[in-house]
Amino acid sequence: MMKGLTNWRLFALLTALLVFLSGCGREEISTLIPAGKVAQDQFNLLILSTIVMTFVIIVVSVIFVLAIVKFRRSKLGDDMIPEQVEGSAKLEFIWTAVPIVLLLILAVPTVYSTFDLADVTAMDSTDEEGNQENLTVNVTAYLYWWEFEYPEQGIVTAQELVVPTDERVYFNLISADIKHSFWIPSVGGKLDVNPENVNKFYLEFDQESSELEDGVFYGKCAELCGPSHALMDFKVKSVDREEFDQWVASMQEEPEPAADALAQEGEETFANSCIGCHAVSGAGPAGMPGPNLTTFGDRNRVAGFMEHNEENLKNWIQDPQEYKPGNLMPDGQTNNGGEPFSEQELDALAAYLMSLSVEE
């Protein structure tokens, strides 16, 4: 008796936790708050399958309870034998037809959506002048960061994807090392990022990210890829087409020299120690060993996950392995020719990197 009460208490507790936790979704990262057509289509399939499964559970549970109540031994006695229905054509038809109908209800929209979401034939569509009609972004995954190249616009960025709203954005996904997985939970399902082949798909962004609490959607690597897999994040800024075009134009411009004396000192240190791996021009080449830092001052995180401030940036430069194990960035001493960066050099580097901005 006590064991039964304990089980019911545990069940009640788990049910209460489920109810409370169901309200913990964050708009910028929750799959249950879709922010685009692809996410909405996938959410609708989730709701449909949940309804079908709930229907099956309810029907089976009702039949089970009725059978227990109606045919219990205390009511009918030990010698009661229920009516035998073996060979009933009607019942066999019902329990054959009903699962087929339920499978069709699930299969038809699922197959349709699968082929629709995989249709990337419009990726290469061009207008009369030969310009691409749709935005295409080449995504390259590295340990443990993301590069975004806009081939038609001739620009490259990293760790922060910028896209226009209310139009399809096509993606070419490939990995520079091992398998990863590209996922923006609020905007669409994940797709594998392989080193051997290019995977293609599209997403649509219906909501401007400025309306969100953090000003960005969050993207994740959804494939276990090493000790810092959980820290392989990226951010997505979705803006209207006019603002996106302004951002592209700013990225295409040559970077301006550092303004104040400390940042100028940091620019010189950067040129001597870091320029071999990191570009600071949006028009720089893709495929650099390290992330493009053109928009570093506009980001909201250091190394993809730490709060965006100079103290965290200096700590990251000194010892990146402490904060993101397994990443390929050398420590500060290695970057500085065998000598640790002085506090003055770290202050200067932080001031310079924080000044890198294309947003007004």
Side-chain angles (χ1 to χ4, degrees):
M1 184 67 176
M2 289 301 298
K3 184 178 180 181
L5 288 174
T6 302
N7 290 339
W8 274 107
R9 288 172 181 169
L10 179 61
F11 177 77
L13 176 62
L14 292 176
T15 303
L17 285 174
L18 180 64
V19 172
F20 284 115
L21 292 175
S22 65
C24 293
R26 295 173 57 188
E27 195 173 6
E28 62 268 23
I29 199 170
S30 175
T31 58
L32 302 181
I33 309 176
K37 181 182 180 301
V38 173
Q40 186 64 58
D41 289 346
Q42 294 171 342
F43 182 75
N44 291 341
L45 288 175
L46 176 65
I47 295 299
L48 175 62
S49 61
T50 302
I51 291 173
V52 171
M53 289 185 289
T54 303
F55 170 76
V56 172
I57 291 172
I58 290 173
V59 170
V60 172
S61 299
V62 168
I63 294 174
F64 180 73
V65 171
L66 286 177
I68 291 176
V69 172
K70 185 176 180 180
F71 298 104
R72 67 185 185 275
R73 180 177 298 176
S74 61
K75 180 179 180 180
L76 300 178
D78 293 339
D79 299 329
M80 172 63 185
I81 299 178
E83 179 185 353
Q84 300 302 294
V85 295
E86 182 180 356
S88 170
K90 181 187 294 185
L91 286 177
E92 290 185 359
F93 174 80
I94 290 174
W95 62 53
T96 301
V98 170
I100 291 175
V101 171
L102 294 178
L103 285 174
L104 287 174
I105 291 173
L106 286 171
V108 172
T110 299
V111 172
Y112 173 81
S113 295
T114 299
F115 280 93
D116 180 57
L117 297 177
D119 183 9
V120 293
T121 53
M123 176 184 286
D124 299 321
S125 298
T126 56
D127 57 23
E128 296 177 353
E129 299 177 355
N131 299 318
Q132 278 199 327
E133 295 181 338
N134 300 294
L135 177 65
T136 298
V137 182
N138 296 333
V139 179
T140 305
Y142 296 84
L143 289 173
Y144 297 94
W145 59 280
W146 300 84
E147 180 179 80
F148 306 108
E149 179 189 11
Y150 301 73
E152 286 299 305
Q153 290 74 24
I155 58 176
V156 178
T157 186
Q159 294 296 85
E160 199 166 76
L161 174 67
V162 181
V163 292
T165 55
D166 301 321
E167 60 182 83
R168 286 189 177 185
V169 180
Y170 290 87
F171 296 91
N172 292 312
L173 308 177
I174 195 166
S175 171
D177 35 61
I178 63 175
K179 178 179 282 190
H180 301 279
S181 190
F182 182 87
W183 188 28
I184 309 173
S186 299
V187 185
K190 68 185 183 72
L191 191 65
D192 284 348
V193 185
N194 304 318
E196 306 90 6
N197 62 285
V198 176
N199 283 336
K200 303 181 179 186
F201 80 133
Y202 70 85
L203 294 172
E204 294 184 24
F205 300 78
D206 293 345
Q207 182 180 356
E208 292 187 23
S209 60
S210 59
E211 302 171 8
L212 303 172
E213 181 179 349
D214 291 349
V216 294
F217 291 104
Y218 288 96
K220 308 285 290 184
C221 175
E223 183 77 27
L224 182 60
C225 55
S228 291
H229 157 70
L231 306 177
M232 190 172 168
D233 295 356
F234 63 95
K235 314 301 178 291
V236 185
K237 288 184 178 178
S238 54
V239 298
D240 60 40
R241 169 48 80 165
E242 181 180 356
E243 187 174 345
F244 175 76
D245 290 338
Q246 292 174 352
W247 177 81
V248 169
S250 298
M251 288 288 287
Q252 291 171 336
E253 295 176 358
E254 286 295 320
E256 297 182 0
D260 60 70
L262 186 61
Q264 288 175 0
E265 182 182 338
E267 183 176 18
E268 183 177 344
T269 302
F270 184 90
N272 293 329
S273 304
C274 313
I275 199 67
C277 294
H278 300 280
V280 289
S281 169
M288 295 286 286
N292 186 298
L293 301 178
T294 306
T295 62
F296 187 86
D298 301 324
R299 298 179 189 172
N300 72 343
R301 293 289 187 272
V302 173
F305 71 99
M306 295 190 290
E307 186 177 345
H308 195 253
N309 58 50
E310 292 192 3
E311 190 62 32
N312 283 336
L313 176 56
K314 290 189 290 184
N315 291 337
W316 168 257
I317 293 172
Q318 284 180 301
D319 190 2
Q321 292 300 323
E322 179 181 349
Y323 300 94
K324 191 179 276 191
N327 83 92
L328 302 182
M329 179 173 170
D331 59 28
Q333 183 170 324
T334 303
N335 281 330
N336 198 35
E339 293 292 329
F341 285 115
S342 67
E343 194 63 33
Q344 175 67 20
E345 288 174 321
L346 288 171
D347 288 340
L349 275 171
Y352 170 64
L353 292 171
M354 287 295 186
S355 72
L356 297 176
S357 171
V358 299
E359 297 180 6
E360 296 180 358

